[in-house]
Amino acid sequence: MDNNLLLVSRYFMKFYESFCVDVCKKHDLVQMEMDILAFVANHPGLNTASDIVEVRMFTKSNVSAMVEQLIQKGLQREEDKEDRRKIHLIIKPKANPIIKDIKKMQLRFSKELMTGFSEEEEKLFGQFIDRMLSNVMEGIRGNK
């Protein structure tokens, strides 16, 4: 395999971010705010700032700053009932229009990304991506 995989990963993010522009403008968000809202909406079991830092690999300081800004836009902190040190991020109804637009944008992005792929190719692609992600995560754990 040549360097195309690295190129694809970089261009993939640029392509995705080009889809995000309209949602960000419409709702007065910066990219990272939108990414955090999308993450919380798409991963209900991973809803702490630590989860976002770990999975999305954002810095703690950036996540903290963005969460502070998102409190005004419909994100809420909620203390864990069993571990008071843990704070969950909850999407309030106020943010539902933003989440709806994010999900529509993500669907458009996915359709555009998979243009020309058959259903079988899409399924295989998903399996390959899952396997690659597993390999990457295993490699990261092995290098710690």
Side-chain angles (χ1 to χ4, degrees):
M1 181 166 36
D2 57 17
N3 290 330
N4 280 344
L5 188 57
L6 291 175
L7 273 176
V8 165
S9 68
R10 291 205 169 109
Y11 281 113
F12 179 94
M13 287 309 299
K14 284 193 172 291
F15 188 51
Y16 178 72
E17 288 169 0
S18 74
F19 277 74
C20 298
V21 170
D22 291 339
V23 174
C24 288
K25 280 183 184 175
K26 179 178 178 180
H27 297 286
D28 192 28
L29 300 167
V30 297
Q31 181 70 47
M32 189 177 279
E33 287 176 311
M34 197 209 78
D35 291 340
I36 289 170
L37 282 174
F39 183 86
V40 173
N42 292 329
H43 302 91
L46 301 172
N47 62 359
T48 67
S50 296
D51 293 330
I52 296 166
V53 167
E54 182 180 334
V55 176
R56 287 302 312 267
M57 293 185 254
F58 294 152
T59 63
K60 286 182 184 180
S61 59
N62 282 342
V63 170
S64 292
M66 295 298 111
V67 166
E68 285 304 315
Q69 290 173 227
L70 287 169
I71 297 299
Q72 307 303 315
K73 297 174 181 173
L75 199 61
Q76 175 182 322
R77 291 186 192 95
E78 192 173 283
E79 196 175 272
D80 189 284
K81 290 167 182 36
E82 294 174 15
D83 183 351
R84 293 174 38 164
R85 295 169 297 171
K86 200 182 237 186
I87 305 295
H88 297 279
L89 301 172
I90 309 299
I91 295 171
K92 296 188 324 189
K94 177 181 180 179
N96 285 345
I98 302 171
I99 300 304
K100 182 179 175 187
D101 286 344
I102 290 171
K103 288 186 181 271
K104 282 194 324 194
M105 176 276 299
Q106 289 175 329
L107 185 60
R108 275 191 2 259
F109 170 75
S110 293
K111 285 182 179 180
E112 184 80 21
L113 183 68
M114 301 311 290
T115 296
F117 284 80
S118 70
E119 219 174 284
E120 180 63 25
E121 287 171 327
E122 283 187 42
K123 185 177 175 183
L124 284 170
F125 180 73
Q127 292 170 353
F128 294 154
I129 291 294
D130 289 346
R131 194 176 326 152
M132 287 171 59
L133 180 59
S134 177
N135 291 344
V136 167
M137 297 307 288
E138 189 62 35
I140 289 171
R141 281 192 287 275
N143 290 328
K144 285 188 177 183

